[in-house]
Amino acid sequence: MTLADVARRAGVDKAVVSRVVNNDPLLNIRPETRARVLAAIKELDYRPNAAARSLRTTRTGTVGLFIPDFANPVYAEIITGAETAAAARDCVLMVGSSTAGGSARGYLDLLGPGRVDGLLLAGGAITDEEQAVLADRGLPWLFVNRRGGGGRHVVLADGLAARIAVEHLVELGHRRIAHVGGPADADTAQRRRDGYAAALRAGGLAEDPRLIVQGDYEPDGGARAAHRLLDGPEPPTAVFVANVTAAIGVLSALQAHGLSVPDQVSVVAVHDLPLAAHLVPPLTTVRMPLQALGARAVELLLSAPADQPVEEVVRDPIELVVRHSTAPPPH
């Protein structure tokens, strides 16, 4: 059904139908005429032509999101929030990733100006060169869960989350608290590393480089990092893991070493994904507002001027979720 079909059914001009569909605040028609147009739209199941509308408004009604890895459940939460916010603004979210060797540059070529209203770039999914391409094209963009050049980002309070996790271990009485970190080039990993150090200082504990092992945000990386810690001369009594999926590997490594959690070693991690409650033992985590992050990213992308800096931290809610993987240290 077309605009003309609706106009004929309602007995009005096409321009009137168009202005009703677009909620034109300057349209001055009688209430019964508007009701007749709306009834015709419903009867004919009329849906505006998105392509034609984009030509008139210069908006496509589409937002792009590029993530590093579809398999990482953290990004599933961010996508959920972003999709909800996009739908509330009559937009569609299109998601791509580098999971199967795809590149941000290829995604940028596919979803350039005229195809999307803006791009969200999550984690470390884009290089400086690709960022320069974005700037040249004049396409609105925003980093999500990562700080980067250009001063356009929305992130979480990663340092605060790390402090909450480590302070919990300090309050339980732990003094040898290890840290399994994230990738060296990950902005989130550095901020969590800083929060770990700050919590140790606040608890009157000295930082021991032997208790800090760089890992990644994957179970295998968490396991490798934990094995390195446990093979040392003075293993820790507690481990703060930078990411919940890496904590899965840490728990398996502890089991392989014959260590009981939490009787001999406590474990706490950032991000409270649904899987955390079903690990053995159920994992103590710091819950982060991942869906709120995705939603706020869409809001800022569509509302903030493309040529101005956007630097925002989504802080609420952040809370410690205590389960069965943390306890006082063994005596």
Side-chain angles (χ1 to χ4, degrees), residues 8-312:
R8 282 193 295 271
R9 176 65 65 90
V12 298
D13 188 84
K14 287 196 302 182
V16 172
V17 177
S18 176
R19 294 175 71 179
V20 169
V21 168
N22 290 287
N23 296 314
D24 185 348
L26 300 179
L27 176 62
N28 184 18
I29 59 174
R30 291 184 300 175
E32 54 266 32
T33 303
R34 183 183 296 273
R36 198 166 65 248
V37 171
L38 294 173
I41 290 172
K42 184 177 180 180
E43 291 170 8
L44 297 176
D45 193 25
Y46 169 71
R47 303 187 184 196
N49 185 301
R53 176 178 284 186
S54 69
L55 290 175
R56 294 192 302 271
T57 65
T58 70
R59 290 187 67 248
T60 67
T62 304
V63 173
L65 170 62
F66 193 79
I67 63 174
D69 186 3
F70 274 121
N72 189 328
V74 168
Y75 290 108
E77 293 287 305
I78 294 173
I79 290 170
T80 298
E83 188 172 41
T84 300
R89 288 156 182 77
D90 294 324
C91 288
V92 173
L93 184 72
M94 297 187 67
V95 185
S97 86
S98 54
T99 304
S103 69
R105 179 59 184 270
Y107 191 66
L108 298 181
D109 291 339
L110 176 65
L111 298 180
R115 294 188 176 92
V116 294
D117 295 323
L119 280 173
L120 300 173
L121 302 155
I126 186 170
T127 65
D128 291 340
E129 180 182 353
E130 290 161 344
Q131 184 179 327
V133 172
L134 271 178
D136 290 340
R137 293 181 180 179
L139 185 68
W141 59 273
L142 193 68
F143 280 129
V144 184
N145 205 33
R146 167 195 170 182
R147 286 189 171 95
R152 292 182 62 83
H153 60 252
V154 54
V155 297
L156 297 172
D158 292 278
L160 174 60
R163 288 195 63 158
I164 290 172
V166 177
E167 285 170 357
H168 170 61
L169 296 173
V170 172
E171 289 170 1
L172 288 172
H174 291 278
R175 295 296 176 263
R176 291 190 57 75
I177 302 172
H179 177 41
V180 172
D185 60 349
D187 174 62
T188 53
Q190 182 56 57
R191 285 183 276 128
R192 291 170 199 173
R193 165 76 175 78
D194 293 342
Y196 161 80
L200 290 182
R201 290 194 299 271
L205 302 177
E207 191 174 326
D208 185 345
R210 295 171 298 178
L211 294 180
I212 301 171
V213 180
Q214 179 186 322
D216 56 28
Y217 290 151
E218 302 296 333
D220 286 347
R224 288 192 297 270
H227 282 302
R228 286 181 56 189
L229 287 170
L230 298 172
D231 289 338
E234 293 184 78
T237 64
V239 183
F240 162 58
V241 191
N243 174 278
V244 65
T245 51
I248 296 172
V250 171
L251 290 175
S252 69
L254 290 168
Q255 183 180 28
H257 279 256
L259 295 171
S260 173
V261 177
D263 296 332
Q264 293 172 283
V265 181
S266 288
V267 180
V268 60
V270 170
H271 291 316
D272 185 52
L273 301 178
L275 62 85
H278 302 285
L279 297 175
V280 180
L283 184 67
T284 296
T285 62
V286 178
R287 181 177 295 149
M288 301 280 272
L290 291 169
Q291 292 191 23
L293 173 68
R296 186 58 179 150
V298 169
E299 293 168 0
L300 290 170
L301 181 72
L302 296 179
S303 63
D307 59 348
Q308 294 183 13
V310 176
E311 300 182 5
E312 185 163 323

